[in-house]
Amino acid sequence: MTLKDTIIEILDQSLFRWLVKFIYPKYQRPRKGYMRHYKVLWQYFFMQKIMGFNRPVPWPVDFRSKIKGWQFIEKGIMCDPGDNPGLYINAYGGLKMGDNVSIGANTIIVTTNHNKYDHRKQSLKKGITIGNNVWIGANCVILAGTIIGNEVTIGAGCVISGKIPSKSTVVRGNNHIQIIPKEKDYEWDIYQETLT
């Protein structure tokens, strides 16, 4: 490791880490092996906190994403809803996300809907629950009332409603959804990581 790399590492783990925790109090990611703290600031800070795209959200959100009702999101560690581009999340009906949940670009999560008899009104709030160790691929739609179990992988382009069982992979093929059980447990023990 060069002197320059050592200085960058020291600054990243001290000053920049402190700044990230101050600016984004709900940010909890591995201190090493994910994204360096100065890169978090570089990628999100200006557009979010200075320009005002999703300014009040206390975790990093990409300026091309929209989070509505962030106060109704209950999230675990290693989970920053909206950190990828193009996400739309309406959380007014309640959104509970477990630990280590990743959401691919251009995904839509809607916890409420319009009243079918008067579109100016909201329907009953159903909410969404997403378990631990879940990957939601790009261009998915997660509809109100959905419950996704633990250790679930949802393939790109799926429209999900209802209940998805734990330890399964969901894929879209021939205009229908197929649920494939996983044959082994999730391997990464996220609780052994030292978090920011």
Side-chain angles (χ1 to χ4, degrees):
M1 187 182 251
T2 67
L3 179 61
K4 178 184 170 186
D5 291 336
T6 303
I7 292 170
I8 289 172
E9 183 67 21
I10 289 169
L11 286 173
D12 191 62
Q13 292 299 321
S14 57
L15 175 64
F16 293 122
R17 179 175 162 262
W18 179 84
L19 283 170
V20 167
K21 286 305 294 176
F22 179 74
I23 295 165
Y24 299 113
K26 299 278 185 171
Y27 179 81
Q28 293 181 295
R29 292 282 184 170
R31 286 177 70 173
K32 295 187 179 194
Y34 178 62
M35 183 185 291
R36 290 188 180 262
H37 299 96
Y38 73 87
K39 288 185 178 181
V40 171
L41 294 170
W42 177 259
Q43 185 167 339
Y44 300 104
F45 175 73
F46 181 75
M47 294 303 282
Q48 184 177 1
K49 299 300 183 178
I50 304 298
M51 296 304 294
F53 293 91
N54 300 294
R55 180 179 286 143
V57 180
W59 59 82
V61 177
D62 188 276
F63 72 95
R64 293 160 288 189
S65 293
K66 182 67 177 171
I67 310 295
K68 297 179 91 174
W70 68 268
Q71 309 90 326
F72 301 99
I73 297 175
E74 180 184 331
K75 71 177 202 69
I77 61 171
M78 296 188 221
C79 173
D80 298 308
D83 61 345
N84 276 326
L87 271 69
Y88 174 81
I89 299 175
N90 172 338
Y92 288 113
L95 174 58
K96 183 176 181 181
M97 303 176 82
D99 299 330
N100 194 30
V101 176
S102 296
I103 306 169
N106 302 315
T107 290
I108 298 170
I109 298 176
V110 184
T111 62
T112 62
N113 207 338
H114 294 286
N115 183 299
K116 64 183 175 181
Y117 301 109
D118 184 347
H119 295 161
R120 299 169 298 169
K121 297 178 183 176
Q122 219 174 43
S123 66
L124 295 175
K125 296 179 180 179
K126 294 184 179 180
I128 292 174
T129 301
I130 300 172
N132 299 323
N133 301 316
V134 173
W135 169 254
I136 299 170
N139 301 307
C140 290
V141 177
I142 312 295
L143 299 173
T146 297
I147 298 173
I148 298 172
N150 297 321
E151 300 182 27
V152 172
T153 303
I154 297 177
C158 290
V159 177
I160 304 295
S161 65
K163 187 171 183 176
I164 305 298
S166 292
K167 296 185 181 181
S168 60
T169 300
V170 180
V171 294
R172 183 177 155 222
N174 298 330
N175 296 321
H176 72 282
I177 297 291
Q178 182 179 4
I179 298 175
I180 305 164
K182 290 185 178 178
E183 297 180 9
K184 62 181 192 172
D185 293 337
Y186 193 74
E187 294 176 357
W188 179 29
D189 185 359
I190 63 171
Y191 304 108
Q192 297 300 313
E193 295 289 335
T194 303
L195 303 178
T196 293

Short mmCIF file of all heavy atoms in Angstrom, two decimals, residues 44-93:
data_model
loop_
_atom_site.label_atom_id
_atom_site.label_comp_id
_atom_site.label_asym_id
_atom_site.label_seq_id
_atom_site.Cartn_x
_atom_site.Cartn_y
_atom_site.Cartn_z
N TYR A 44 -23.81 11.10 -3.84
CA TYR A 44 -25.16 11.46 -3.40
C TYR A 44 -25.31 12.87 -2.82
O TYR A 44 -26.35 13.48 -2.97
CB TYR A 44 -25.66 10.45 -2.36
CG TYR A 44 -25.72 9.04 -2.86
CD1 TYR A 44 -24.77 8.10 -2.48
CD2 TYR A 44 -26.74 8.63 -3.72
CE1 TYR A 44 -24.82 6.80 -2.95
CE2 TYR A 44 -26.80 7.33 -4.19
CZ TYR A 44 -25.84 6.42 -3.79
OH TYR A 44 -25.89 5.14 -4.25
N PHE A 45 -24.31 13.35 -2.10
CA PHE A 45 -24.47 14.55 -1.28
C PHE A 45 -24.96 15.78 -2.04
O PHE A 45 -25.95 16.40 -1.65
CB PHE A 45 -23.17 14.87 -0.53
CG PHE A 45 -23.23 16.15 0.24
CD1 PHE A 45 -23.96 16.22 1.42
CD2 PHE A 45 -22.59 17.29 -0.21
CE1 PHE A 45 -24.04 17.40 2.14
CE2 PHE A 45 -22.67 18.48 0.51
CZ PHE A 45 -23.39 18.52 1.68
N PHE A 46 -24.29 16.18 -3.09
CA PHE A 46 -24.62 17.43 -3.76
C PHE A 46 -26.06 17.45 -4.26
O PHE A 46 -26.83 18.36 -3.97
CB PHE A 46 -23.65 17.72 -4.92
CG PHE A 46 -23.95 19.01 -5.63
CD1 PHE A 46 -23.62 20.22 -5.04
CD2 PHE A 46 -24.59 19.01 -6.86
CE1 PHE A 46 -23.93 21.42 -5.68
CE2 PHE A 46 -24.89 20.20 -7.50
CZ PHE A 46 -24.56 21.41 -6.91
N MET A 47 -26.44 16.44 -5.03
CA MET A 47 -27.79 16.43 -5.62
C MET A 47 -28.88 16.25 -4.55
O MET A 47 -29.96 16.83 -4.66
CB MET A 47 -27.90 15.35 -6.69
CG MET A 47 -27.02 15.61 -7.90
SD MET A 47 -27.33 17.18 -8.71
CE MET A 47 -28.80 16.81 -9.62
N GLN A 48 -28.58 15.46 -3.53
CA GLN A 48 -29.61 15.19 -2.51
C GLN A 48 -29.70 16.32 -1.49
O GLN A 48 -30.79 16.84 -1.24
CB GLN A 48 -29.32 13.86 -1.81
CG GLN A 48 -30.40 13.48 -0.81
CD GLN A 48 -30.16 12.12 -0.17
OE1 GLN A 48 -29.18 11.46 -0.44
NE2 GLN A 48 -31.06 11.72 0.69
N LYS A 49 -28.59 16.70 -0.89
CA LYS A 49 -28.65 17.65 0.21
C LYS A 49 -28.52 19.11 -0.20
O LYS A 49 -29.07 19.98 0.44
CB LYS A 49 -27.57 17.30 1.25
CG LYS A 49 -27.74 15.91 1.86
CD LYS A 49 -29.07 15.76 2.57
CE LYS A 49 -29.18 14.39 3.24
NZ LYS A 49 -30.43 14.23 3.97
N ILE A 50 -27.82 19.39 -1.28
CA ILE A 50 -27.67 20.77 -1.74
C ILE A 50 -28.77 21.14 -2.73
O ILE A 50 -29.49 22.12 -2.54
CB ILE A 50 -26.28 21.02 -2.38
CG1 ILE A 50 -25.15 20.66 -1.40
CG2 ILE A 50 -26.15 22.45 -2.88
CD1 ILE A 50 -25.12 21.46 -0.13
N MET A 51 -28.94 20.33 -3.78
CA MET A 51 -29.95 20.62 -4.80
C MET A 51 -31.37 20.27 -4.33
O MET A 51 -32.34 20.80 -4.84
CB MET A 51 -29.62 19.89 -6.10
CG MET A 51 -28.32 20.34 -6.74
SD MET A 51 -28.25 22.12 -7.07
CE MET A 51 -29.51 22.27 -8.31
N GLY A 52 -31.50 19.35 -3.38
CA GLY A 52 -32.80 19.09 -2.77
C GLY A 52 -33.58 17.90 -3.28
O GLY A 52 -34.74 17.73 -2.92
N PHE A 53 -32.99 17.04 -4.10
CA PHE A 53 -33.69 15.83 -4.55
C PHE A 53 -33.74 14.84 -3.39
O PHE A 53 -32.72 14.31 -2.98
CB PHE A 53 -32.98 15.19 -5.75
CG PHE A 53 -33.02 16.02 -6.99
CD1 PHE A 53 -32.02 16.93 -7.27
CD2 PHE A 53 -34.08 15.91 -7.87
CE1 PHE A 53 -32.05 17.70 -8.42
CE2 PHE A 53 -34.14 16.68 -9.03
CZ PHE A 53 -33.12 17.58 -9.30
N ASN A 54 -34.90 14.59 -2.83
CA ASN A 54 -35.08 13.69 -1.68
C ASN A 54 -34.28 14.17 -0.47
O ASN A 54 -33.75 13.38 0.29
CB ASN A 54 -34.69 12.25 -2.04
CG ASN A 54 -35.53 11.69 -3.16
OD1 ASN A 54 -36.73 11.48 -3.01
ND2 ASN A 54 -34.90 11.46 -4.31
N ARG A 55 -34.18 15.48 -0.30
CA ARG A 55 -33.35 16.07 0.76
C ARG A 55 -33.63 15.53 2.16
O ARG A 55 -32.69 15.23 2.89
CB ARG A 55 -33.50 17.59 0.77
CG ARG A 55 -32.66 18.26 1.85
CD ARG A 55 -32.80 19.76 1.84
NE ARG A 55 -32.08 20.31 0.72
CZ ARG A 55 -32.48 21.35 0.01
NH1 ARG A 55 -33.61 21.96 0.31
NH2 ARG A 55 -31.76 21.80 -0.99
N PRO A 56 -34.88 15.39 2.62
CA PRO A 56 -35.09 14.99 4.01
C PRO A 56 -34.79 13.52 4.32
O PRO A 56 -34.72 13.14 5.48
CB PRO A 56 -36.56 15.32 4.27
CG PRO A 56 -37.20 15.27 2.93
CD PRO A 56 -36.15 15.71 1.95
N VAL A 57 -34.62 12.70 3.31
CA VAL A 57 -34.39 11.27 3.54
C VAL A 57 -33.03 11.07 4.22
O VAL A 57 -32.02 11.56 3.73
CB VAL A 57 -34.46 10.47 2.22
CG1 VAL A 57 -34.24 8.99 2.47
CG2 VAL A 57 -35.79 10.70 1.52
N PRO A 58 -32.99 10.37 5.37
CA PRO A 58 -31.75 10.26 6.15
C PRO A 58 -30.80 9.14 5.70
O PRO A 58 -30.02 8.64 6.51
CB PRO A 58 -32.25 10.04 7.57
CG PRO A 58 -33.55 9.33 7.41
CD PRO A 58 -34.14 9.86 6.12
N TRP A 59 -30.88 8.71 4.47
CA TRP A 59 -29.93 7.76 3.90
C TRP A 59 -29.70 8.21 2.45
O TRP A 59 -30.47 8.98 1.90
CB TRP A 59 -30.43 6.32 3.99
CG TRP A 59 -31.74 6.06 3.31
CD1 TRP A 59 -31.95 5.81 1.98
CD2 TRP A 59 -33.03 6.02 3.92
NE1 TRP A 59 -33.29 5.62 1.72
CE2 TRP A 59 -33.98 5.75 2.90
CE3 TRP A 59 -33.49 6.18 5.23
CZ2 TRP A 59 -35.34 5.64 3.15
CZ3 TRP A 59 -34.85 6.08 5.46
CH2 TRP A 59 -35.75 5.80 4.44
N PRO A 60 -28.64 7.74 1.80
CA PRO A 60 -28.35 8.17 0.44
C PRO A 60 -29.43 7.74 -0.56
O PRO A 60 -29.83 6.59 -0.58
CB PRO A 60 -27.02 7.48 0.12
CG PRO A 60 -26.43 7.12 1.43
CD PRO A 60 -27.59 6.87 2.34
N VAL A 61 -29.87 8.71 -1.38
CA VAL A 61 -30.86 8.44 -2.43
C VAL A 61 -30.35 9.08 -3.71
O VAL A 61 -29.96 10.26 -3.72
CB VAL A 61 -32.25 9.01 -2.07
CG1 VAL A 61 -33.24 8.80 -3.21
CG2 VAL A 61 -32.77 8.37 -0.79
N ASP A 62 -30.36 8.33 -4.79
CA ASP A 62 -29.96 8.85 -6.10
C ASP A 62 -30.93 9.94 -6.54
O ASP A 62 -32.14 9.82 -6.33
CB ASP A 62 -29.94 7.70 -7.12
CG ASP A 62 -29.35 8.12 -8.44
OD1 ASP A 62 -30.09 8.69 -9.26
OD2 ASP A 62 -28.14 7.88 -8.66
N PHE A 63 -30.40 10.99 -7.17
CA PHE A 63 -31.25 12.11 -7.57
C PHE A 63 -32.26 11.73 -8.64
O PHE A 63 -33.26 12.43 -8.85
CB PHE A 63 -30.40 13.30 -8.04
CG PHE A 63 -29.72 13.11 -9.37
CD1 PHE A 63 -30.30 13.58 -10.54
CD2 PHE A 63 -28.50 12.45 -9.45
CE1 PHE A 63 -29.68 13.42 -11.76
CE2 PHE A 63 -27.87 12.29 -10.67
CZ PHE A 63 -28.46 12.77 -11.83
N ARG A 64 -32.08 10.61 -9.31
CA ARG A 64 -33.04 10.17 -10.34
C ARG A 64 -34.14 9.29 -9.75
O ARG A 64 -35.01 8.82 -10.47
CB ARG A 64 -32.30 9.43 -11.44
CG ARG A 64 -31.37 10.35 -12.22
CD ARG A 64 -30.33 9.60 -12.96
NE ARG A 64 -29.35 9.06 -12.02
CZ ARG A 64 -28.21 8.50 -12.37
NH1 ARG A 64 -27.90 8.37 -13.63
NH2 ARG A 64 -27.38 8.04 -11.45
N SER A 65 -34.10 9.05 -8.45
CA SER A 65 -35.12 8.26 -7.76
C SER A 65 -36.06 9.18 -7.00
O SER A 65 -35.72 10.31 -6.70
CB SER A 65 -34.47 7.27 -6.79
OG SER A 65 -33.74 6.30 -7.48
N LYS A 66 -37.25 8.67 -6.67
CA LYS A 66 -38.23 9.45 -5.92
C LYS A 66 -38.76 8.60 -4.77
O LYS A 66 -39.29 7.51 -4.99
CB LYS A 66 -39.38 9.87 -6.84
CG LYS A 66 -40.42 10.72 -6.17
CD LYS A 66 -39.86 12.06 -5.78
CE LYS A 66 -40.91 12.95 -5.17
NZ LYS A 66 -40.35 14.17 -4.61
N ILE A 67 -38.59 9.12 -3.55
CA ILE A 67 -39.09 8.44 -2.36
C ILE A 67 -40.20 9.31 -1.77
O ILE A 67 -39.95 10.43 -1.34
CB ILE A 67 -37.98 8.25 -1.30
CG1 ILE A 67 -36.73 7.63 -1.91
CG2 ILE A 67 -38.50 7.46 -0.11
CD1 ILE A 67 -36.90 6.23 -2.41
N LYS A 68 -41.42 8.79 -1.74
CA LYS A 68 -42.55 9.51 -1.16
C LYS A 68 -42.95 8.79 0.13
O LYS A 68 -43.09 7.58 0.14
CB LYS A 68 -43.72 9.54 -2.14
CG LYS A 68 -43.39 10.30 -3.42
CD LYS A 68 -44.55 10.29 -4.37
CE LYS A 68 -45.37 11.51 -4.05
NZ LYS A 68 -46.48 11.71 -5.00
N GLY A 69 -43.11 9.57 1.20
CA GLY A 69 -43.50 8.98 2.48
C GLY A 69 -42.36 8.23 3.16
O GLY A 69 -42.58 7.19 3.77
N TRP A 70 -41.13 8.76 3.06
CA TRP A 70 -39.97 8.07 3.63
C TRP A 70 -40.13 7.83 5.13
O TRP A 70 -39.56 6.88 5.66
CB TRP A 70 -38.68 8.84 3.34
CG TRP A 70 -38.58 10.16 4.05
CD1 TRP A 70 -38.99 11.37 3.58
CD2 TRP A 70 -38.08 10.38 5.36
NE1 TRP A 70 -38.75 12.35 4.51
CE2 TRP A 70 -38.19 11.77 5.62
CE3 TRP A 70 -37.54 9.56 6.34
CZ2 TRP A 70 -37.80 12.33 6.82
CZ3 TRP A 70 -37.14 10.13 7.53
CH2 TRP A 70 -37.26 11.50 7.77
N GLN A 71 -40.93 8.65 5.79
CA GLN A 71 -41.14 8.49 7.24
C GLN A 71 -41.84 7.17 7.57
O GLN A 71 -41.79 6.71 8.70
CB GLN A 71 -42.00 9.64 7.80
CG GLN A 71 -41.53 11.02 7.45
CD GLN A 71 -42.13 11.55 6.15
OE1 GLN A 71 -42.38 10.81 5.20
NE2 GLN A 71 -42.33 12.85 6.09
N PHE A 72 -42.49 6.58 6.58
CA PHE A 72 -43.23 5.33 6.79
C PHE A 72 -42.40 4.11 6.40
O PHE A 72 -42.92 3.00 6.32
CB PHE A 72 -44.55 5.36 6.01
CG PHE A 72 -45.42 6.51 6.41
CD1 PHE A 72 -45.46 7.67 5.65
CD2 PHE A 72 -46.18 6.45 7.57
CE1 PHE A 72 -46.25 8.74 6.01
CE2 PHE A 72 -46.98 7.52 7.94
CZ PHE A 72 -47.01 8.68 7.17
N ILE A 73 -41.12 4.33 6.14
CA ILE A 73 -40.22 3.22 5.81
C ILE A 73 -39.46 2.79 7.05
O ILE A 73 -38.81 3.60 7.71
CB ILE A 73 -39.22 3.61 4.70
CG1 ILE A 73 -39.95 3.94 3.40
CG2 ILE A 73 -38.19 2.50 4.47
CD1 ILE A 73 -39.06 4.45 2.28
N GLU A 74 -39.57 1.53 7.37
CA GLU A 74 -38.79 0.92 8.45
C GLU A 74 -37.78 0.01 7.77
O GLU A 74 -38.16 -0.96 7.12
CB GLU A 74 -39.72 0.11 9.36
CG GLU A 74 -39.04 -0.55 10.51
CD GLU A 74 -39.98 -1.41 11.32
OE1 GLU A 74 -41.21 -1.11 11.37
OE2 GLU A 74 -39.52 -2.42 11.89
N LYS A 75 -36.50 0.36 7.89
CA LYS A 75 -35.49 -0.39 7.15
C LYS A 75 -34.42 -0.92 8.09
O LYS A 75 -34.14 -0.34 9.12
CB LYS A 75 -34.87 0.48 6.06
CG LYS A 75 -33.97 1.57 6.56
CD LYS A 75 -33.35 2.33 5.41
CE LYS A 75 -32.08 3.03 5.82
NZ LYS A 75 -30.95 2.20 6.12
N GLY A 76 -33.81 -2.02 7.67
CA GLY A 76 -32.73 -2.62 8.43
C GLY A 76 -31.38 -2.10 7.99
O GLY A 76 -31.27 -1.08 7.31
N ILE A 77 -30.36 -2.84 8.36
CA ILE A 77 -29.00 -2.47 7.97
C ILE A 77 -28.72 -2.93 6.55
O ILE A 77 -29.41 -3.81 6.03
CB ILE A 77 -27.95 -3.06 8.95
CG1 ILE A 77 -28.02 -4.59 8.96
CG2 ILE A 77 -28.15 -2.50 10.34
CD1 ILE A 77 -26.88 -5.26 9.73
N MET A 78 -27.74 -2.33 5.91
CA MET A 78 -27.35 -2.66 4.54
C MET A 78 -28.54 -2.59 3.60
O MET A 78 -28.80 -3.48 2.80
CB MET A 78 -26.66 -4.02 4.49
CG MET A 78 -25.37 -4.05 5.24
SD MET A 78 -24.51 -5.58 4.97
CE MET A 78 -23.91 -5.92 6.60
N CYS A 79 -29.29 -1.51 3.75
CA CYS A 79 -30.51 -1.32 2.98
C CYS A 79 -30.75 0.18 2.86
O CYS A 79 -30.98 0.85 3.86
CB CYS A 79 -31.67 -1.99 3.73
SG CYS A 79 -33.28 -1.68 3.02
N ASP A 80 -30.64 0.70 1.64
CA ASP A 80 -30.86 2.12 1.40
C ASP A 80 -31.82 2.28 0.23
O ASP A 80 -31.40 2.43 -0.92
CB ASP A 80 -29.53 2.82 1.09
CG ASP A 80 -28.56 2.74 2.25
OD1 ASP A 80 -28.96 3.09 3.36
OD2 ASP A 80 -27.41 2.31 2.05
N PRO A 81 -33.13 2.24 0.49
CA PRO A 81 -34.10 2.33 -0.59
C PRO A 81 -33.94 3.62 -1.39
O PRO A 81 -33.99 4.71 -0.83
CB PRO A 81 -35.45 2.31 0.13
CG PRO A 81 -35.17 1.92 1.54
CD PRO A 81 -33.74 2.16 1.81
N GLY A 82 -33.71 3.48 -2.68
CA GLY A 82 -33.57 4.63 -3.56
C GLY A 82 -32.14 4.95 -3.94
O GLY A 82 -31.89 5.91 -4.65
N ASP A 83 -31.18 4.13 -3.50
CA ASP A 83 -29.78 4.44 -3.82
C ASP A 83 -29.42 4.12 -5.26
O ASP A 83 -28.41 4.60 -5.77
CB ASP A 83 -28.81 3.78 -2.84
CG ASP A 83 -28.87 2.26 -2.83
OD1 ASP A 83 -29.84 1.69 -3.36
OD2 ASP A 83 -27.94 1.65 -2.29
N ASN A 84 -30.21 3.34 -5.94
CA ASN A 84 -30.01 3.09 -7.38
C ASN A 84 -30.86 4.06 -8.19
O ASN A 84 -31.89 4.55 -7.71
CB ASN A 84 -30.37 1.65 -7.74
CG ASN A 84 -29.22 0.71 -7.48
OD1 ASN A 84 -28.06 1.07 -7.64
ND2 ASN A 84 -29.53 -0.51 -7.08
N PRO A 85 -30.50 4.33 -9.44
CA PRO A 85 -31.26 5.30 -10.23
C PRO A 85 -32.63 4.80 -10.67
O PRO A 85 -32.83 3.62 -10.90
CB PRO A 85 -30.36 5.54 -11.45
CG PRO A 85 -29.45 4.38 -11.52
CD PRO A 85 -29.30 3.86 -10.13
N GLY A 86 -33.57 5.73 -10.74
CA GLY A 86 -34.87 5.46 -11.33
C GLY A 86 -35.88 4.76 -10.45
O GLY A 86 -36.93 4.35 -10.94
N LEU A 87 -35.63 4.62 -9.16
CA LEU A 87 -36.60 3.97 -8.29
C LEU A 87 -37.73 4.93 -7.94
O LEU A 87 -37.50 6.12 -7.75
CB LEU A 87 -35.95 3.50 -6.98
CG LEU A 87 -35.35 2.10 -6.99
CD1 LEU A 87 -34.13 2.05 -7.86
CD2 LEU A 87 -35.03 1.67 -5.60
N TYR A 88 -38.94 4.40 -7.85
CA TYR A 88 -40.07 5.16 -7.36
C TYR A 88 -40.66 4.36 -6.21
O TYR A 88 -41.05 3.20 -6.38
CB TYR A 88 -41.14 5.37 -8.44
CG TYR A 88 -42.38 6.03 -7.89
CD1 TYR A 88 -42.42 7.41 -7.71
CD2 TYR A 88 -43.47 5.27 -7.52
CE1 TYR A 88 -43.55 8.02 -7.17
CE2 TYR A 88 -44.61 5.87 -6.99
CZ TYR A 88 -44.63 7.24 -6.82
OH TYR A 88 -45.75 7.84 -6.28
N ILE A 89 -40.67 4.96 -5.03
CA ILE A 89 -41.22 4.29 -3.85
C ILE A 89 -42.27 5.19 -3.23
O ILE A 89 -42.00 6.31 -2.84
CB ILE A 89 -40.12 3.96 -2.82
CG1 ILE A 89 -39.08 3.03 -3.44
CG2 ILE A 89 -40.73 3.35 -1.57
CD1 ILE A 89 -37.88 2.74 -2.55
N ASN A 90 -43.50 4.68 -3.16
CA ASN A 90 -44.59 5.33 -2.44
C ASN A 90 -44.79 4.51 -1.18
O ASN A 90 -45.33 3.41 -1.22
CB ASN A 90 -45.86 5.33 -3.29
CG ASN A 90 -47.07 5.82 -2.53
OD1 ASN A 90 -47.12 5.79 -1.31
ND2 ASN A 90 -48.08 6.25 -3.26
N ALA A 91 -44.35 5.05 -0.04
CA ALA A 91 -44.36 4.30 1.21
C ALA A 91 -45.45 4.74 2.17
O ALA A 91 -45.44 4.36 3.33
CB ALA A 91 -42.99 4.43 1.89
N TYR A 92 -46.41 5.53 1.71
CA TYR A 92 -47.44 6.05 2.60
C TYR A 92 -48.26 4.96 3.28
O TYR A 92 -48.82 5.17 4.35
CB TYR A 92 -48.36 7.02 1.86
CG TYR A 92 -47.70 8.33 1.55
CD1 TYR A 92 -47.43 8.69 0.22
CD2 TYR A 92 -47.32 9.19 2.55
CE1 TYR A 92 -46.82 9.89 -0.07
CE2 TYR A 92 -46.69 10.39 2.26
CZ TYR A 92 -46.44 10.74 0.95
OH TYR A 92 -45.82 11.92 0.67
N GLY A 93 -48.33 3.79 2.69
CA GLY A 93 -49.06 2.68 3.30
C GLY A 93 -48.23 1.86 4.26
O GLY A 93 -48.72 0.92 4.88
#
